[in-house]
Amino acid sequence: MLFIVLVLVLAALGLLVAALITANSLWAWISIGLSVVAGLLLLFDLLRRRKKRAAEAPAEEAAEDPAEEDEPAEGEEKKPEDVEQTVLMPAAGELGDAEDTPEPQQNGDPGEEKSDPADVAVVSELEIEVVVVDEYPRYHVTSCEWLETRDTIPLGIGEARQLGFTPCALCTPDAEIAGKHREKA
């Protein structure tokens, strides 16, 4: 269908050029007629595609999980609570106190740093950027050896802690960041 419209538009353009060169108004009217036909074909194609999508939509909705919420009707805006968001969360079962996981985990996780409460107090007041790896519960300094070629996501250290991430035992970000802060002060 689009190929036919393209041919009609090119023919209309050619006829328009011919009308301008020869000063013959008949060619101009034929050019306008071809342009109108091309526009009508595009409109027809658009309506046909909308109808096809509308017919496919009920079939897709029937295949979806009935527990899912319905999408807002056409013309309605999504409410903020309806908008899907990606939330970074530590891997399930990996949250806990520093005493819970002192050794490296079996899934390749380096384990949790046993942070000094004084370091935690200093770090929680800073706006230092650390990095996390999706699906892992630890935050790291960018120089951590464990990160190697993993894709990292930068976060503020306060935000990382609020989301439930805990410090890495390998790079000890709390101790390193607090130590650097104390050296500056």
Side-chain angles (χ1 to χ4, degrees):
M1 178 72 74
L2 291 177
F3 180 73
I4 295 170
V5 170
L6 179 63
V7 169
L8 288 173
V9 168
L10 288 175
L13 183 62
L15 288 172
L16 183 62
V17 169
L20 290 173
I21 291 173
T22 64
N24 187 347
S25 64
L26 178 63
W27 295 116
W29 284 110
I30 295 172
S31 172
I32 291 170
L34 287 176
S35 297
V36 169
V37 170
L40 290 173
L41 283 174
L42 283 175
L43 184 63
F44 172 74
D45 188 49
L46 175 71
L47 294 174
R48 186 178 57 98
R49 288 179 189 219
R50 277 192 181 173
K51 195 175 202 179
K52 186 176 179 181
R53 277 193 219 127
E56 290 174 355
E60 288 176 6
E61 287 178 10
E64 289 180 1
D65 184 15
E68 290 184 21
E69 292 184 20
D70 293 331
E71 290 292 318
E74 192 172 315
E76 289 183 14
E77 292 185 25
K78 285 188 172 185
K79 298 174 189 162
E81 59 269 9
D82 293 339
V83 177
E84 291 183 28
Q85 295 182 357
T86 301
V87 179
L88 298 174
M89 295 295 293
E94 292 295 325
L95 295 176
D97 297 317
E99 294 80 33
D100 291 345
T101 55
E103 304 107 31
Q105 304 295 306
Q106 291 179 350
N107 64 357
D109 182 70
E112 184 178 340
E113 170 187 7
K114 291 185 179 181
S115 300
D116 183 356
D119 290 346
V120 173
V122 169
V123 166
S124 62
E125 296 175 8
L126 300 175
E127 292 297 322
I128 303 291
E129 192 171 84
V130 293
V131 294
V132 297
V133 177
D134 199 17
E135 301 288 325
Y136 288 92
R138 311 286 176 239
Y139 61 87
H140 311 264
V141 293
T142 54
S143 60
C144 183
E145 294 174 14
W146 182 81
L147 296 174
E148 291 177 357
T149 59
R150 291 180 172 93
D151 291 331
T152 60
I153 303 165
L155 287 176
I157 195 164
E159 183 181 2
R161 285 185 153 286
Q162 285 177 344
L163 291 172
F165 290 94
T166 55
C168 166
L170 187 60
C171 64
T172 61
D174 286 353
E176 184 175 327
I177 293 169
K180 286 180 182 178
H181 179 71
R182 287 186 186 113
E183 287 175 8
K184 288 181 183 178

